[in-house]
Each structure stands twice: as C-alpha cells, then as structure tokens.
Amino acid sequence: MANNSDGMQGTGTNNVSVLNFIDISSPDVQQSVSLLKQACLDCGFFYVVNHGISQEFMDEVFAESRKFFELPLAEKMKFLRNEKNRGYTPVLDERLDADNQVHGDYKEGYYIGVEVPEGDSDADKPFYGPNRWPSADLLPGWRETMEQFHRKALEVARAVARIIALALELEADFFDKPAMLGQPIAIMRLLHYEGRISDPLNGIYGAGAHSDYGLITLLATDDVYGLQICKDKDAQPQIWEYIAPVKGAFVVNLGDMLERLSNCIFKSTLHRVLGNGQDRYSIAFFAEPSHDCLVECLPTCKSEDNPPKFPPIKYSTYLSQRYKDTHTELNAYKSYQPLAAKKSTRG
C-alpha cells in the first residue's frame, strides 16, 4: 500500500474507505462472487489483484505515459483528440460536474481505443477508427506498449465481468457475448493531474464528481492519493472518502450501464479527484458494451414487483451524448487544428 506520509501529503484527512479485494487467480470462485457482490451492494468499488499484468510492465506503461505528458504543450496539441475521441485532451478540456465546477478538470489525458483501420466497415462507428499515435521517432515503442496494455486490460475486464455475471445470477459468460464485451467499445485513457491544490468550496477539482458511463472501469494509479468516493450521493452533506492506492492492484468501479442493466441492484458510485499539490498519474480502462448493444434490464433483475426502471437505449447513442455533454467543443481549438492535422501521425 502507498506510504501515507507521502501519498496523503496535503490531503488534510485520514478518511480512507475500506474496500474488498478480489483475487482473480483464486480457485474459490464462490468466495470471489460473494466478496464482489458485497462490494457492489456497498459502494460499487473494489480492488482486483493477481490479475496477470506484471508490476514491471505496469511500471513501463506509467513511464511511457509520463514521457508523453512531459512533452511541450505545442507538441501534445499535435495529437489533439479527434471526432472519434482519440488522442490528447488538454487541461480544462473536460468538465464532469458543471453544477459545481467553475472551470474544467485540472487534468490532461490521452484516449486510446480499439484500433480499426480507415476503410474498415466498422471505422464509421462513433467510437471506432484509427488511434492517434506519436511517431516512433518522437516516442520509440510507445504505441506498442499502449496496445499491449490495452489488450491485457481488456482480458482483466472480461475476467471481472464473469464474476459480476455470477453475482447477478447469470451464466458466467454472459458479458462475453459480442453485444457486450465480445466486441466492446474499450477505451483506455492515460491521465495526468497537474500539481494544483483542489478547492472544492470554490469549485476547483482535479476531476469533478461523476459516475462512469459504461459497465466497469479498471483504474491503475501511482502512489499519490486523490481519488474519493461518495457512497450516498443524496446525503446532505455528502461524505467523501479517499481510496488508497495499492501497488499492483486495479481499483474497479461500476458504471451507469451496469446500474441500468441490473435495475439499480448494483449502483454506479459518485467519485471525484482532488489535487494535493503533487503530480498524479493514473490509467483508466473503460470496458463498454458494443456500439449496437441495446441496454435493457437483465432478466434476473426484474419481476412483477420490480419492473425495469429505465427504458432500453442503444449504447453508442448514450455514450456519444455523455462525451458531448462533458468535453469542450472541438472547434474551440480551431487555432490548433491546422497544426494538428499537418503534424500528427496515425502510424
């Protein structure tokens, strides 16, 4: 676990949530199901350990992420995200809690999705297409490292989803279907929170309060505290607890789509990031259903006494709207666009 004297610097609190640990390698599936179900009913957050991604490789991915974010802003803007939400997002680009934030999030990011070459029939779908890759001359081996991590993280997400399926009294392979994680919108996002101190009372956040959009999120973090959860979003005042960084573990949380699918049996949980003056790096992997998935209540989560609470919705329609609601319009960066178009490489 992270060194509290370092990671908690400037946080001003020792209010740290206690989360369940799910061991992906454990042969005791029923224990894993029980621990996961308890976590999902309690707060929707848990740790996943022994997931098969080595600490050495995780360290390599973080090192490569830092290399990109350490580039000059003018260089990073050459890879500005496109209409497919691939590429660089500058500080303040995203505003997750418009009601309480005076500016956008004080973080920068880089989106990497499923690689689909131009000309492929799937490339026309909203979240498919070619990624934006820095050239090998600029960042040697960067693309290969990120693509390998994307593949490995998707396998971890599928393993977690099998336990979730059992917890919801479904067949273990329910989420392996093409409509779910068989052909997913799997989005990886490198994140860097600059060393700004957040001030919630004055609307300054590393990342504003929000719940994630999809099925589940895997989050790898460095040892700097910042992530907080609110188990009861309707409480007044809201109670926020830190999530401790745990070396080698993923922090996993449930998204809004799983809440809809489970008819609110499992809920997506409000979370945010507060900066404490230290640079903080994390990598979020969003496991989303397929573009054409019709998200509707699972058969095991409804009854005559508990009918579906949400109407069916096509997933790509829902996700496109969520991104539009939270990200800056691309035309706001039009002064950078000629440079981005001229200099970027798709590799």
Side-chain angles (χ1 to χ4, degrees):
M1 188 172 291
N3 184 320
N4 282 16
S5 63
D6 293 331
M8 293 294 283
Q9 178 182 322
T11 60
T13 182
N14 290 313
N15 190 24
V16 178
S17 187
V18 177
L19 301 183
N20 282 354
F21 283 76
I22 311 299
D23 183 345
I24 291 295
S25 68
S26 173
D28 191 342
V29 176
Q30 283 310 118
Q31 183 189 36
S32 296
V33 170
S34 178
L35 288 170
L36 182 142
K37 188 170 185 177
Q38 181 187 32
C40 292
L41 293 172
D42 176 38
C43 66
F45 272 74
F46 50 92
Y47 298 110
V48 162
V49 295
N50 296 326
H51 43 65
I53 302 179
S54 71
Q55 187 60 50
E56 291 74 19
F57 182 60
M58 197 77 85
D59 291 342
E60 180 185 342
V61 177
F62 271 88
E64 293 298 320
S65 175
R66 289 188 188 93
K67 286 179 184 177
F68 177 82
F69 290 122
E70 288 170 354
L71 294 172
L73 178 60
E75 191 68 42
K76 290 183 286 191
M77 288 299 290
K78 295 174 185 178
F79 306 97
L80 181 67
R81 65 179 170 88
N82 58 21
E83 70 285 347
K84 298 279 190 177
N85 285 291
R86 305 296 180 84
Y88 177 63
T89 56
V91 174
L92 305 183
D93 178 86
E94 190 174 22
R95 192 176 184 181
L96 289 166
D97 184 8
D99 291 340
N100 293 301
Q101 288 179 267
V102 294
H103 306 295
D105 295 351
Y106 281 94
K107 70 176 190 295
E108 55 182 344
Y110 201 98
Y111 281 118
I112 299 168
V114 177
E115 182 73 21
V116 178
E118 288 182 349
D120 189 291
S121 58
D122 282 340
D124 292 334
K125 294 179 179 179
F127 291 91
Y128 272 11
N131 284 295
R132 310 202 74 175
W133 298 112
S135 70
D137 291 338
L138 181 65
L139 293 174
W142 199 86
R143 172 177 179 170
E144 291 76 13
T145 298
M146 297 307 166
E147 288 188 318
Q148 185 179 355
F149 183 80
H150 191 284
R151 288 193 299 270
K152 288 176 177 289
L154 180 56
E155 287 309 307
V156 177
R158 285 172 172 155
V160 173
R162 292 180 193 117
I163 302 175
I164 291 174
L166 293 172
L168 290 170
E169 300 179 7
L170 301 164
E171 294 296 321
D173 63 354
F174 179 86
F175 291 108
D176 290 332
K177 297 174 183 177
M180 290 291 181
L181 297 182
Q183 297 175 347
I185 302 174
I187 301 172
M188 168 180 163
R189 193 178 189 193
L190 311 176
L191 292 165
H192 170 226
Y193 295 85
E194 58 178 31
R196 175 182 287 266
I197 297 176
S198 294
D199 184 359
L201 294 179
N202 289 302
I204 305 296
Y205 298 87
H210 66 286
S211 56
D212 289 347
Y213 311 152
L215 286 175
I216 55 174
T217 302
L218 310 181
L219 182 71
T221 73
D222 61 14
D223 63 357
V224 178
Y225 278 70
L227 176 63
Q228 294 184 322
I229 65 171
C230 175
K231 294 180 181 177
D232 183 0
K233 62 185 177 183
D234 297 321
Q236 292 296 333
Q238 290 178 334
I239 306 299
W240 291 92
E241 301 175 52
Y242 279 97
I243 299 298
V246 175
K247 196 171 186 66
F250 281 111
V251 176
V252 181
N253 66 279
L254 311 182
D256 296 340
M257 282 301 99
L258 194 54
E259 179 173 307
R260 293 176 75 108
L261 285 164
S262 70
N263 213 21
C264 295
I265 293 173
F266 291 170
K267 293 189 177 182
S268 56
T269 298
L270 208 60
H271 55 284
R272 68 187 187 185
V273 174
L274 298 189
N276 63 7
Q278 298 173 280
D279 282 281
R280 179 177 179 269
Y281 293 86
S282 64
I283 304 169
F285 187 86
F286 303 104
E288 322 269 9
S290 73
H291 281 81
D292 299 323
C293 178
L294 187 66
V295 179
E296 55 187 339
C297 184
L298 296 168
T300 57
C301 299
K302 61 184 177 181
S303 65
E304 287 187 12
D305 296 330
N306 185 30
K309 296 177 174 60
F310 304 97
I313 187 171
K314 185 179 177 182
Y315 190 66
S316 62
T317 302
Y318 170 83
L319 190 60
S320 295
Q321 187 61 50
R322 292 296 295 267
Y323 272 74
K324 184 178 180 181
D325 289 344
T326 55
H327 281 289
T328 299
E329 289 282 348
L330 281 174
N331 61 18
Y333 299 111
K334 60 185 177 182
S335 61
Y336 283 100
Q337 292 290 36
L339 186 63
K342 183 178 179 182
K343 298 288 187 179
S344 66
T345 62
R346 291 185 179 272

